[in-house]
Amino acid sequence: MTGQTTAADGGVRVVTGEPGCGRTAFLARVARSCPAASVVDVRADRVTSAVPLGGLRALLRVLGAPVGPWSATGQPCAALLDALRAASAGRPMLLCVDDAHLWDAPTRAAVGRAAEQLRGNGRVGVLLSVSGHRPVDREFAALPVVRVDPLSPVEAAALLDEATGGALDRAVRDDLVDAAEGSPALLLAMVRRLSPAQIRGHRRLPGPPADAELLTGLAGGFLTGFTSAQEDLLLTVAAAVRDADDTEDSRIGLALARRAAEHLRGTRPGTESVLPSDPLPDVLVLADGEVGFHSDLLRRAVYAGARPERRRAAHRALARALEEVGAARLRALLHRARSATVPRRGTATELAVAAGDRRHPRSLRCAAYAHAAALAEDGTRRAEWYTAAAEQALLGGRTHRALRLLDRARDSAAPTALRGRVELVRGTTVLYDGPVDEARASLLLAARLLTESSPRQAQSALLAAVDAAWAAGDAQGCLHLLSTGADAPDTASGRPHVLLDGENGLPDPGAWPGPRQFGERPADRSGRLGDAAGRPCLLGGEDGGPGTGPPAGVRPSRDLSVVRSAPPDDPVYNGVPVRAGSSAVLGGYRTGLRALLEGQFAQAAGPLRRLVVDAEAAGDAAGADEPDTALRAAAAALLLGDLAAARRAGARALAAARTPGTAAALARAREYLAYAELRAGRHTLARTHAEEGLRAAHRTGQRNTAAHHHAVLALAASIEGAPEEVAAHVDTALATARGHGLVQAATLAEWAAARADLARGRPREAADRLGPLVRPGPRRGHFAVWMLAVPCFVEAAASTGRADDGVAEVVEEFARWAGFGADPQAPAQLTRCRALLAPADRPDALFRRALDLHDVAAGGDFERARTELLHGKWLRRRRRLSEARDRLGAALVGFERCGARAWADQARAELRAGGVAPGGGVRATGPGLGLDGLTPQQLRIARCVAEGATNREVALTLSVSTRTVDYHLRKVFAALGVRSRVELVRMVEKAGQEG
């Protein structure tokens, strides 16, 4: 609910949202964010509005203005405007009206006209809160509308933790978050009625947590005042769309709804008919001949609040109406099954068979499979259909529902192959929304259980386990798992040879590769690369994406095809087949990735390039049907450094993910595109993809994917120079990363925070943060990410006089990686690092060589500008001012072109220190100007001292001598008229508050 409006600058907004969404809290939060404005809070009610203009009279009394009488048209509006202007007295004022829809129509008209005239006046802001369960009143229709969206899962979890003081059990919290569907009021109502034992997870929750009592209680008076005919229509629509997720299939044809309502009313003799001319209840919305609820909470309340026999009657009426119009069989079957107290024999099988039709929405197929499982008498069938329902829930973006359905499948006896499917779906679900080590364990168990019955699924499970090991930063685990499933089938059985421990399905420790397979660099193996710890170095350019190795944040396979439903013509539903040819795709991908992890780039390029070319040749047809194939192609292209192909593949994956039933792939498609754009230096585009991907990840319950998007946003913000935004994204990413073991996301987030420190002129803090990430040891960052931070670390270390603290060794590792040649920016970055560490007679030539290398590479505006900035600083400190100005001016242009505001500020400060004013004129100095009268160097020293730094620490931070600091500090004291550091601190703090 943040960032949608402030309204304290003379803005006018209508704030809407469904009941219980937090409109009142939103108004209060906006009011608190406007400390300079006087706030007038008014809550509308029906009592004061019982007579025309009663609400306006109450409002005028609050404003201290005279009340009526009015006779001429427009007088009420004029009186309100005069009262608002008098109350503001020329100062900023914010008028907050809660529940403005409860006012009488004449009052709404007067307030609406007054608000229109106040728009953009710069002094008086107006927020009008109205309920979103129905259309906005016509009196407010001309005003801009802000909708308070449902809480994301992360926000909902934070609200519950705050309400319970952190005592709420994690599993209980997840159940409540899923049941609330983003409603703050419902969340708090559910948690308030839990016992202490239930809060701690020691006793079962009431089932369901959001029952009829809670839902109808929150609906309040919004569902009153309807005729019996309208009530029947509401129940019919609520029953028809009860299985819809978000906007997918959340409406029903109005003609069909009316037909079903007629059948429903036929069960109650003596009542009037529902005629087509009857007005629709205002809680329903009609669009393109289809009708649905404005508020999902009211839809749930209508259905839950009806008596069980009325709900069954509504389903019976819907089944009859669907059969009469010849609609798809699955919907009619499901309604018919729900209408029966004792379903007829064979209903469960019919539902499961019909649910195999891929043309239906996943939410409907999930509901049908789940209902079939609930009716099944055979334990194996029950487990099979619950698993199929979980598969549909996962692919539809309902991860929590998928896990709960899998819990039910586990409760039933199942054969080995089916248990393998359960673990495969569970592991895939947890991979996106849980601890990745737990996901790897489930996926390895799935591989063991599926080896005999479904070799291809066993291989897919192993590749997904590679994803989990990758996210956890386990390079040896990745390489072992890629080597576990042989490329060729076993000669005796035709099945792939899977080295698993027969007792628990975990890898056999004796089968792990020896050290030469992981990082040894024998002289006779060209192209082989490993780090000092024996791990492969597969990294990329500092623009945000890796080079030769799998890109930061990208999981190697992301294969969801392993949980795709079987086609309806399969004679036996024995797992979920992979599309024709995908075994070869997976095999080629596995071969290429394994070679890459072993440092054999030449051997990796062939299979990865073939995968990219084959996927691109398939074009939109392949992407539209299989988003995961396009995602694998995008990952392969990033591994190869082919950014154009990566963007094309990512775009195909995004288009495929937008088709119905593939919501789970949308956030991951955005992730690939975000990293591709970061790597290409297009930070604004990367931010756009990450913001959209973050919203998709929240909608589909993928907290791990959301953490990676937060890391991308932190990286983009660290370039753009928004420290508060960087900190917010870093904190959110690290909270999930540390709880779920996401070493990859954590390393990226830490790097983003350090780069933000560098942008703000805080190299000491950046060096402290980056040192553990890049140096060998147990705290080193993710094996495919830590190298990204090396250029930042070298810059920070050189700026703080720590160049001898193991930096040279780190640079040599960076040099070995840059030698691969897959990232065009790496040679220039390496040369820049060496310039920062070189003796006094060499940096100039090295900086110039680095700039020449930038000219050869493409898409490196930001990195080139950084090199120019560092070269300009070096030249200025050696009093080569003319050359420094040229270099710093070029850096400023480059940063401005990239939108790197904080970095551009550094370039401007250096230009001023070199005698060039921001506008190109002569710098003004003199007494009486306060901090504005200081030179840029004096201002930097004053601020460092105000932060508590000693003269030596200031010297290290600014790369100057302590004598220089002493000299400038004396000048600062004289210019400001202060006599001590305490007085200086006070003056700097006061200037910061005033600024």
Side-chain angles (χ1 to χ4, degrees):
M1 296 188 294
T2 60
Q4 300 184 69
T5 182
T6 60
D9 57 354
V12 173
R13 301 288 190 276
V14 173
V15 181
T16 185
E18 69 174 26
C21 71
R23 288 181 290 114
T24 302
F26 179 85
L27 295 186
R29 184 166 187 172
V30 173
R32 289 195 301 271
S33 70
C34 306
S38 60
V39 179
V40 178
D41 286 309
V42 180
R43 187 176 188 89
D45 61 80
R46 296 190 186 278
V47 176
T48 57
S49 300
V51 295
L53 295 175
L56 180 59
R57 290 186 172 88
L59 177 56
L60 291 174
R61 292 189 189 98
V62 172
L63 294 171
V67 177
W70 304 286
S71 57
T73 301
Q75 270 193 325
C77 173
L80 178 57
L81 286 171
D82 291 342
L84 289 170
R85 292 180 181 123
S88 69
R91 294 176 291 106
M93 190 180 82
L94 177 62
L95 172 63
C96 296
V97 181
D98 203 5
D99 290 336
H101 59 282
L102 298 180
W103 269 338
D104 55 276
T107 295
R108 294 198 302 268
V111 172
R113 284 196 297 269
E116 285 186 66
Q117 296 184 43
L118 287 170
R119 288 178 65 181
N121 73 358
R123 287 199 309 272
V124 180
V126 179
L127 289 181
L128 304 174
S129 163
V130 301
S131 178
H133 73 285
R134 60 185 183 85
V136 174
D137 295 295
R138 63 181 181 178
E139 295 86 357
F140 302 145
L143 304 177
V145 175
V146 171
R147 184 168 186 87
V148 179
D149 295 325
L151 298 179
S152 71
V154 173
E155 292 168 333
L159 178 61
L160 287 174
D161 287 340
E162 181 182 347
T164 60
L168 189 62
D169 177 76
R170 176 181 167 180
V172 174
R173 185 187 65 190
D174 289 347
D175 285 340
L176 296 183
V177 168
D178 185 67
E181 297 184 1
S183 170
L186 186 54
L187 269 176
L188 296 176
M190 286 189 294
V191 78
R192 275 196 295 264
R193 69 176 188 174
L194 296 183
S195 68
Q198 289 171 329
I199 287 176
R200 292 191 297 271
H202 297 164
R203 293 186 60 186
R204 283 180 173 272
L205 292 179
D211 58 14
E213 179 183 355
L214 280 182
L215 291 170
T216 55
L218 287 174
F222 299 112
L223 297 176
T224 61
F226 299 120
T227 66
S228 59
Q230 289 175 321
E231 289 176 351
D232 286 339
L233 184 61
L234 289 174
L235 178 56
T236 300
V237 175
V241 300
R242 62 165 292 191
D243 299 313
D245 287 336
D246 295 327
T247 59
E248 177 191 353
D249 205 39
S250 61
R251 293 177 181 174
I252 179 177
L254 178 59
L256 180 61
R258 289 191 181 279
R259 178 188 288 267
E262 287 279 5
H263 291 315
L264 177 59
R265 294 190 62 74
T267 64
R268 296 165 61 185
T271 56
E272 70 275 11
S273 174
V274 182
L275 298 175
S277 59
D278 284 353
L280 283 178
D282 60 4
V283 298
L284 296 180
V285 58
L286 178 65
D288 299 326
E290 294 185 329
V291 65
F293 279 81
H294 278 286
S295 164
D296 191 62
L297 181 68
L298 294 192
R299 174 195 63 78
R300 296 172 67 188
V302 166
Y303 188 82
R307 300 189 309 275
E309 60 270 20
R310 292 296 297 158
R311 292 200 296 266
R312 289 194 296 270
H315 286 297
R316 190 178 305 112
L318 282 164
R320 181 177 171 184
L322 287 165
E323 291 164 354
E324 289 173 350
V325 300
R329 185 165 175 260
L330 178 58
R331 292 187 186 277
L333 277 174
L334 184 55
H335 285 301
R336 188 69 70 185
R338 285 172 170 165
S339 70
T341 53
V342 181
R344 61 181 177 81
R345 188 176 183 83
T347 297
T349 302
E350 286 182 304
L351 277 173
V353 171
D357 188 345
R358 297 187 182 187
R359 293 172 295 181
H360 295 298
R362 295 202 183 277
S363 57
L364 180 63
R365 297 173 67 191
C366 174
Y369 276 128
H371 199 79
L375 298 177
E377 297 178 358
D378 178 70
T380 299
R381 289 284 187 178
R382 187 183 308 115
E384 180 179 346
W385 291 335
Y386 273 133
T387 304
E391 291 166 352
Q392 298 305 314
L394 173 60
L395 290 165
R398 298 296 299 271
T399 54
H400 185 270
R401 177 163 173 76
L403 291 174
R404 290 298 166 260
L405 289 165
L406 290 172
D407 288 340
R408 298 179 192 176
R410 275 181 163 180
D411 291 339
S412 302
T416 299
L418 186 53
R419 287 172 51 213
R421 276 183 58 206
V422 171
E423 294 302 327
L424 177 55
V425 180
R426 176 176 291 279
T428 305
T429 303
V430 176
L431 179 60
Y432 304 135
D433 191 50
V436 289
D437 285 340
E438 179 184 332
R440 178 163 36 164
S442 289
L443 291 164
L444 289 174
L445 178 57
R448 171 182 173 269
L449 297 172
L450 291 168
T451 298
E452 295 292 330
S453 62
S454 182
R456 284 187 301 183
Q457 284 195 6
Q459 289 296 307
S460 296
L462 282 173
L463 196 51
V466 172
D467 296 349
W470 187 276
D474 185 356
Q476 293 190 350
C478 288
L479 188 51
H480 166 65
L481 291 170
L482 289 167
S483 304
T484 295
D487 293 329
D490 183 272
T491 55
S493 63
R495 294 186 296 271
H497 181 51
V498 181
L499 300 174
L500 295 175
D501 188 315
E503 292 299 319
N504 55 18
L506 297 176
D508 180 1
W512 281 56
R516 290 179 62 88
Q517 293 176 269
F518 282 106
E520 212 176 51
R521 291 192 299 272
D524 60 343
R525 295 185 66 177
S526 61
R528 187 71 178 270
L529 177 64
D531 66 15
R535 293 176 301 206
C537 301
L538 307 166
L539 308 157
E542 196 179 347
D543 277 348
T548 62
V554 175
R555 267 59 106 195
S557 73
R558 303 280 194 169
D559 184 28
L560 270 184
S561 63
V562 297
V563 294
R564 198 171 301 282
S565 296
D569 56 350
D570 273 6
V572 177
Y573 186 32
N574 186 28
V576 185
V578 183
R579 286 192 57 169
S582 63
S583 292
V585 171
L586 291 178
Y589 194 93
R590 187 175 60 247
T591 300
L593 189 59
R594 185 172 68 234
L596 206 58
L597 280 166
E598 291 175 342
Q600 302 178 59
F601 185 72
Q603 290 84 343
L608 293 176
R609 175 60 61 189
R610 283 194 297 273
L611 190 156
V612 173
V613 171
D614 290 347
E616 190 154 344
D620 293 337
D625 191 35
E626 288 282 348
D628 300 301
T629 300
L631 287 175
R632 283 193 294 273
L638 284 170
L639 298 174
L640 293 167
D642 189 345
L643 301 185
R647 290 196 299 273
R648 291 194 298 271
R652 291 199 308 274
L654 183 62
R658 284 173 171 155
T659 59
T662 55
L666 187 61
R668 296 189 297 280
R670 290 284 189 185
E671 184 184 347
Y672 279 81
L673 284 168
Y675 280 112
E677 298 298 355
L678 266 182
R679 175 129 176 237
R682 287 185 279 267
H683 310 110
T684 302
L685 275 175
R687 169 188 285 278
T688 299
H689 285 304
E691 288 173 343
E692 292 294 329
L694 183 60
R695 283 189 281 270
H698 284 161
R699 285 196 304 270
T700 54
Q702 299 182 55
R703 285 173 291 183
N704 293 355
T705 307
H708 284 274
H709 281 299
H710 278 295
V712 172
L713 290 170
L715 286 168
S718 71
I719 290 173
E720 295 167 358
E724 296 82 6
E725 185 181 356
V726 174
H729 287 301
V730 166
D731 289 346
T732 305
L734 289 178
T736 301
R738 290 164 178 163
H740 291 176
L742 304 174
V743 176
Q744 184 178 24
T747 305
L748 288 171
E750 294 280 8
W751 173 40
R755 191 159 69 179
D757 284 333
L758 273 179
R760 297 169 61 196
R762 296 157 53 94
R764 182 174 54 190
E765 290 81 355
D768 289 342
R769 188 184 294 271
L770 290 175
L773 287 182
V774 301
R775 293 193 185 97
R779 297 175 61 192
R780 175 173 266 183
H782 189 277
F783 64 88
V785 177
W786 67 265
M787 196 70 81
L788 302 178
V790 167
C792 282
F793 172 66
V794 173
E795 179 180 339
S799 298
T800 54
R802 305 183 190 179
D804 297 331
D805 193 11
V807 178
E809 291 79 1
V810 173
V811 171
E812 289 310 307
E813 291 187 72
F814 185 78
R816 288 194 292 270
W817 165 74
F820 272 127
D823 188 338
Q825 293 299 322
Q829 291 175 322
L830 172 63
T831 308
R832 184 176 74 205
C833 289
R834 286 180 166 158
L836 291 170
L837 303 177
D841 60 332
R842 295 192 58 203
D844 190 22
L846 288 170
F847 276 126
R848 296 179 189 278
R849 172 60 179 159
L851 290 171
D852 291 339
L853 292 171
H854 281 303
D855 289 338
V856 175
D861 286 348
F862 175 70
E863 286 303 317
R864 179 184 175 85
R866 287 184 68 180
T867 301
E868 288 170 329
L869 174 63
L870 291 169
H871 191 199
K873 287 181 177 181
W874 185 87
L875 290 168
R876 188 184 68 76
R877 282 158 177 73
R878 280 143 190 85
R879 310 306 298 171
R880 295 164 61 176
L881 298 183
S882 178
E883 295 173 86
R885 290 166 190 166
D886 291 342
R887 196 64 75 207
L888 293 170
L892 176 59
V893 171
F895 288 136
E896 288 179 337
R897 185 183 298 122
C898 298
R901 294 186 297 272
W903 300 88
D905 288 343
Q906 281 196 41
R908 291 190 189 95
E910 289 292 330
L911 283 168
R912 286 195 297 269
V916 179
V922 179
R923 184 178 66 242
T925 60
L929 296 177
L931 295 185
D932 293 335
L934 302 179
T935 68
Q937 186 77 312
Q938 291 169 350
L939 184 58
R940 282 193 292 269
I941 290 173
R943 285 174 174 163
C944 289
V945 170
E947 291 176 358
T950 65
N951 287 9
R952 175 175 173 75
E953 290 170 337
V954 174
L956 289 174
T957 298
L958 300 181
S959 301
V960 296
S961 68
T962 53
R963 293 179 62 185
T964 299
V965 174
D966 292 338
Y967 170 79
H968 282 297
L969 198 54
R970 287 195 298 271
K971 294 286 188 180
V972 168
F973 277 31
L976 299 180
V978 298
R979 293 174 295 178
S980 69
R981 288 177 180 253
V982 173
E983 293 181 15
L984 176 61
V985 169
R986 290 172 181 165
M987 180 168 284
V988 172
E989 289 178 347
K990 180 180 179 182
Q993 293 169 357
E994 293 175 349

